[in-house]
Amino acid sequence: MKTLLKKGFNQLDAVFSRVFTPAWNPMYQLGALGFFYFWIVAVTGVYLFIFFETSISGAYSSIEQITVGQWYLGGVMRSFHRYASAAMGVTVTLHLLREFAMDRYSGPRWFSWVSGVPLLWLLFASAIGGYWLVWDVQAQYIAVLTSEWFDWLPIMVDPMASNFLNEATLSDRFFSLLVFLHIGIPLALLLGMFIHIKRVTAARSNPAKGLAAGTLLAMLVVSLWRPALSQAPANLDMAVTEVGLDWIFLNPYPLINSWGPGQTWALLVGLSTALCLLPWLPSRRPKQSPVAVVYPPDCNGCGWCLADCPYEAISMKEHDYKPGHKQSVVDPDLCVSCGICAGACPSSSPFRHVDELTTGISIPGLHIKELLSLTETKLRELGTEAPRVLLYGCDHGSVVEGMASNTVATISMPCSALVPPAFVDYVLRQNLAEGVLISGCCEGDCYHRLGNTWMDQRFAMERMPVLRTRVPREQVRLRWLGAQGTSELGRELIAFQQELRENSAVVDPIRLQEASNG
Amino acid sequence: MADATRYLGQGLLYALFFLPIVYFTHEPQHRHLAEDMAELKIAVRHAGVTIGECTDVQAGAYTPLPGNKQRPQICPRERSPLELELLMDGKPLYRASVSPSGLHDDGVASIYRRFTVPAGRHNLELRMNDNVAVEGYPWVLEQEVDLQPAQVMVASFKDGFRLQ
């Protein structure tokens, strides 16, 4: 099921990237869109609250007045309030499914996954509370079934449903309580959202401006075309026969009525528990590699690894034996062995005058010394025909293994950001290859969150360690196409070789000859 | 992709996202109650009779206490559970025994149930026993009712059953 979901999402990603560009691709910022919709709901909610009357007779009429009396503002606000909350429900569900499909819920990511489960309950409770306040037949339906659902719990002494027996038993005070809950629960949701992203470095809680603007425009069109309206007013002396339901948030309600409260509780609590346990259930995902190791003699305490770690697994402490210096420390509970820290370390340079390449921090699975050795070995095995290209890839992005040939050497690693920019400089200066192509996950959707972003910035000289200015940029390519872009990467590789061949001025034929001889 | 085509594509994808949202926020309609049905609710909140008798305190039992703090009797706190039966047209529809609330079973007992019943004329009979010392049902109400489709009829209890 996960594989199918992943394929589906990959195809959707490709379509959205083509239409929206990767920077605006909504599939890469579903969580950020969730935040965005929350703020729309919050702002419009404040406006609606100004005109809302918290009484049995006033609730329905005041909302009708907002909707009809000031359709141009209050009505639009109400529609934004409803459609943004529904859109939040949809994006949050997609966010959950996508993180599951992409295998981003286990290991150190368990905290964000598990902390997201109660947020679903709070989101549903917020939305249901909002529908209740309208006090139309849908609200009546919700009121009776919600109270019966909660009355099933042994903690309820007096049945809540007794408040909704008939018109005579309903009290204004209950509406005051509902308003309090409709403000309090979303505030708890916001706090939970903050906790949800607390352990995430550089968490994205705002979507791209263009995407936000497009979303607002689309919602405005929808709000004017199909404004949110109330149904007939509630009347507790008559049972609800047929009702228009919001199936996004109220889908458990028909179950409460047909299965009974106990079974519905069992289903929803069971599903939530299963979701919480998911990160620890056996799966076919590869076993966690040994975590990154710090080598104090080569760590100068620069903190670049600290700045680049997407999982906040690195902190700094006083150096073991260099007074006044700092030293990196790896938290094994948070490290996922992506190797981005090794790519960020200034000591990961093959140009250093040392007998054996060592570095300040590296992952035992692919030490920087081994990466260098592998790079040199694979490139020396290539034929003499130019242009020779070194293709670095990541284990979660485009599949590079099949692209190896007489002129192309391929190396795959946990994350492409493991490659220190100095390696590219080294390969070209040593004439080991005429071109270096680095590929990986889709732009904006790195499996290790920030790997391709950091690489773009390092190569654009915006982030340390930079790719030095002396490296001819026409001999270097960064292509973020993801697993679904493997074929496209193959075509890009051929085109890159063709460009190198045509632009042969960049390739010194004498040095090329020397390289082929030696 | 040209800008115009891209924006057109974006408009299409926004529409594909929001149209189902607009539809599913109020459609399809859900049939909660069949047209020829009505609802009957029982809502009883009543404290059962205390179990046992008060006993006189024997003289001298509270000797450490001053006279104004001495109680003449000790009364039990535990209350009887409520035994309730609802019959419709002579057939039992609901039967329950509900314990009093509270750690010492000294609070009120609450019953709430909602039934979906066919509309039309029915004979309803409600019986309740709130005293374990008494056999049978001290509280009984038998009444003919004519339920309209979708009507909500509530059976409550305050010094006797009432149908509203």
Side-chain angles (χ1 to χ4, degrees):
Chain A
M1 185 180 80
K2 198 193 284 183
T3 316
L4 266 179
L5 263 180
K6 188 174 182 177
K7 274 186 184 167
F9 274 116
N10 279 337
Q11 283 173 359
L12 271 182
D13 290 355
V15 171
F16 277 95
S17 275
R18 208 170 303 135
V19 176
F20 280 86
T21 73
W24 286 13
N25 189 334
M27 301 305 289
Y28 298 159
Q29 34 202 321
L30 289 167
L33 276 173
F35 269 89
F36 181 62
Y37 290 128
F38 178 88
W39 292 121
I40 294 175
V41 175
V43 170
T44 51
V46 168
Y47 182 84
L48 296 174
F49 183 61
I50 294 169
F51 301 96
F52 181 70
E53 282 186 39
T54 55
S55 64
I56 304 163
S57 54
Y60 186 84
S61 57
S62 62
I63 289 180
E64 280 298 282
Q65 175 58 28
I66 294 167
T67 311
V68 181
Q70 47 167 301
W71 63 268
Y72 48 87
L73 184 60
V76 171
M77 287 281 192
R78 185 186 176 192
S79 300
F80 264 62
H81 195 67
R82 176 180 293 184
Y83 293 139
S85 60
M88 186 177 176
V90 174
T91 46
V92 162
T93 309
L94 285 172
H95 179 52
L96 181 148
L97 287 172
R98 194 165 192 282
E99 297 307 286
F100 169 72
M102 301 297 177
D103 223 355
R104 296 172 188 165
Y105 59 91
S106 57
R109 284 167 152 149
W110 73 265
F111 181 81
S112 296
W113 178 265
V114 173
S115 63
V117 176
L119 297 188
L120 292 173
W121 283 81
L122 288 171
L123 174 60
F124 271 70
S126 302
I128 291 165
Y131 275 121
W132 203 325
L133 286 175
V134 179
W135 204 233
D136 57 2
V137 286
Q138 182 177 232
Q140 179 183 342
Y141 173 79
I142 297 168
V144 172
L145 284 180
T146 306
S147 50
E148 289 178 0
W149 193 46
F150 274 83
D151 285 341
W152 181 86
L153 297 174
I155 54 167
M156 305 299 286
V157 176
D158 282 334
M160 203 203 312
S162 301
N163 292 292
F164 306 105
L165 294 174
N166 50 27
E167 288 290 300
T169 54
L170 193 63
S171 101
D172 284 345
R173 285 199 307 172
F174 200 84
F175 273 86
S176 303
L177 174 66
L178 280 180
V179 170
F180 173 76
L181 287 174
H182 194 52
I183 296 169
I185 295 173
L187 284 176
L189 174 62
L190 181 62
L191 177 67
M193 285 157 67
F194 169 72
I195 293 168
H196 181 58
I197 59 168
K198 182 71 188 70
R199 270 170 63 166
V200 179
T201 307
R204 190 170 191 180
S205 56
N206 290 314
K209 283 180 185 164
L211 180 64
T215 304
L216 282 175
L217 185 64
M219 282 180 61
L220 182 63
V221 171
V222 164
S223 300
L224 292 172
W225 173 57
R226 278 289 161 95
L229 301 172
S230 304
Q231 299 181 41
N235 176 8
L236 286 169
D237 290 334
M238 297 298 285
V240 173
T241 51
E242 198 169 51
V243 61
L245 279 191
D246 177 341
W247 291 94
I248 295 166
F249 286 117
L250 306 179
N251 52 71
Y253 279 81
L255 283 185
I256 298 173
N257 195 49
S258 55
W259 285 16
Q263 285 92 327
T264 312
W265 273 116
L267 174 76
L268 297 180
V269 172
L271 271 176
S272 303
T273 310
L275 279 177
C276 286
L277 294 175
L278 203 59
W280 295 277
L281 293 182
S283 79
R284 283 181 293 174
R285 81 179 74 89
K287 207 180 161 198
Q288 164 84 48
S289 308
V291 301
V293 177
V294 176
Y295 303 91
D298 290 292
C299 179
N300 64 9
C302 66
W304 294 356
C305 54
L306 165 77
D308 279 9
C309 178
Y311 303 98
E312 292 196 347
I314 295 173
S315 55
M316 306 302 286
K317 66 162 192 171
E318 285 303 313
H319 202 283
D320 283 350
Y321 48 83
K322 290 181 188 169
H325 282 72
K326 295 284 184 188
Q327 177 187 314
S328 304
V329 184
V330 176
D331 183 341
D333 290 334
L334 299 179
C335 178
V336 300
S337 317
C338 61
I340 292 176
C341 51
C345 183
S347 300
S348 300
S349 170
F351 294 109
R352 289 173 62 208
H353 298 290
V354 286
D355 294 335
E356 187 180 331
L357 180 59
T358 52
T359 187
I361 188 166
S362 202
I363 52 171
L366 189 59
H367 190 276
I368 216 76
K369 165 179 76 178
E370 292 160 1
L371 179 62
L372 180 64
S373 166
L374 192 63
T375 301
E376 290 177 327
T377 308
K378 287 214 170 190
L379 286 172
R380 289 202 169 105
E381 284 170 357
L382 293 181
T384 54
E385 190 186 340
R388 297 159 302 166
V389 170
L390 169 61
L391 173 57
Y392 283 125
C394 93
D395 298 340
H396 310 279
S398 310
V399 185
V400 297
E401 281 83 358
M403 296 180 200
S405 70
N406 197 34
T407 55
V408 178
T410 62
I411 297 173
S412 187
M413 61 199 81
C415 178
S416 308
L418 195 157
V419 179
F423 269 47
V424 178
D425 190 4
Y426 179 79
V427 164
L428 296 176
R429 279 185 74 82
Q430 295 295 314
N431 246 333
L432 294 169
E434 283 69 52
V436 178
L437 175 56
I438 300 179
S439 70
C441 304
C442 282
E443 187 180 342
D445 188 42
C446 174
Y447 179 83
H448 288 300
R449 301 191 56 245
L450 300 165
N452 46 21
T453 307
W454 293 164
M455 284 301 269
D456 281 338
Q457 293 180 4
R458 287 173 191 168
F459 279 54
M461 304 183 69
E462 294 165 356
R463 187 178 196 86
M464 301 301 280
V466 298
L467 180 68
R468 296 176 69 173
T469 47
R470 68 184 183 191
V471 177
R473 272 15 190 205
E474 60 275 20
Q475 288 177 257
V476 182
R477 284 279 189 285
L478 292 173
R479 295 300 287 137
W480 312 120
L481 298 169
Q484 67 271 37
T486 301
S487 309
E488 193 181 341
L489 182 68
R491 291 192 291 275
E492 296 247 353
L493 176 62
I494 294 167
F496 183 40
Q497 284 189 297
Q498 183 62 29
E499 272 180 50
L500 288 171
R501 201 171 291 120
E502 287 168 4
N503 196 13
S504 54
V506 299
V507 183
D508 182 347
I510 300 167
R511 285 199 302 170
L512 186 62
Q513 188 57 45
E514 286 172 0
S516 61
N517 292 339
Chain B
M1 197 181 280
D3 275 358
T5 319
R6 175 170 288 154
Y7 287 128
L8 201 66
Q10 286 180 17
L12 185 69
L13 289 175
Y14 279 122
L16 281 176
F17 179 72
F18 277 108
L19 287 182
I21 285 177
V22 171
Y23 180 74
F24 284 112
T25 46
H26 64 283
E27 293 285 343
Q29 292 275 311
H30 171 61
R31 167 62 66 178
H32 175 59
L33 192 72
E35 280 179 7
D36 55 346
M37 300 297 274
E39 282 188 350
L40 178 63
K41 293 178 182 179
I42 298 179
V44 173
R45 190 172 185 275
H46 176 65
V49 177
T50 49
I51 298 172
E53 298 291 324
C54 294
T55 51
D56 292 333
V57 175
Q58 296 199 350
Y62 282 131
T63 45
L65 297 174
N68 64 325
K69 291 186 178 175
Q70 291 188 11
R71 288 194 299 182
Q73 285 189 317
I74 294 176
C75 293
R77 295 173 62 180
E78 186 183 354
R79 291 183 180 275
S80 293
L82 302 186
E83 303 284 341
L84 188 135
E85 267 192 4
L86 165 66
L87 292 91
M88 192 169 80
D89 301 326
K91 292 174 187 168
L93 194 63
Y94 178 62
R95 177 177 292 154
S97 173
V98 182
S99 301
S101 58
L103 290 174
H104 300 282
D105 288 340
D106 56 346
V108 293
S110 298
I111 299 169
Y112 167 84
R113 284 296 297 251
R114 177 170 58 90
F115 305 94
T116 303
V117 295
R121 295 192 72 83
H122 297 285
N123 178 268
L124 289 181
E125 189 176 351
L126 281 150
R127 307 167 180 167
M128 187 172 78
N129 182 332
D130 61 352
N131 188 351
V132 289
V134 175
E135 288 286 324
Y137 294 96
W139 303 101
V140 178
L141 172 76
E142 188 171 0
Q143 193 172 321
E144 285 282 327
V145 294
D146 186 8
L147 291 172
Q148 300 303 307
Q151 183 185 346
V152 176
M153 179 158 281
V154 180
S156 58
F157 184 91
K158 189 169 185 185
D159 303 325
F161 282 110
R162 288 189 300 179
L163 286 174
Q164 292 173 286

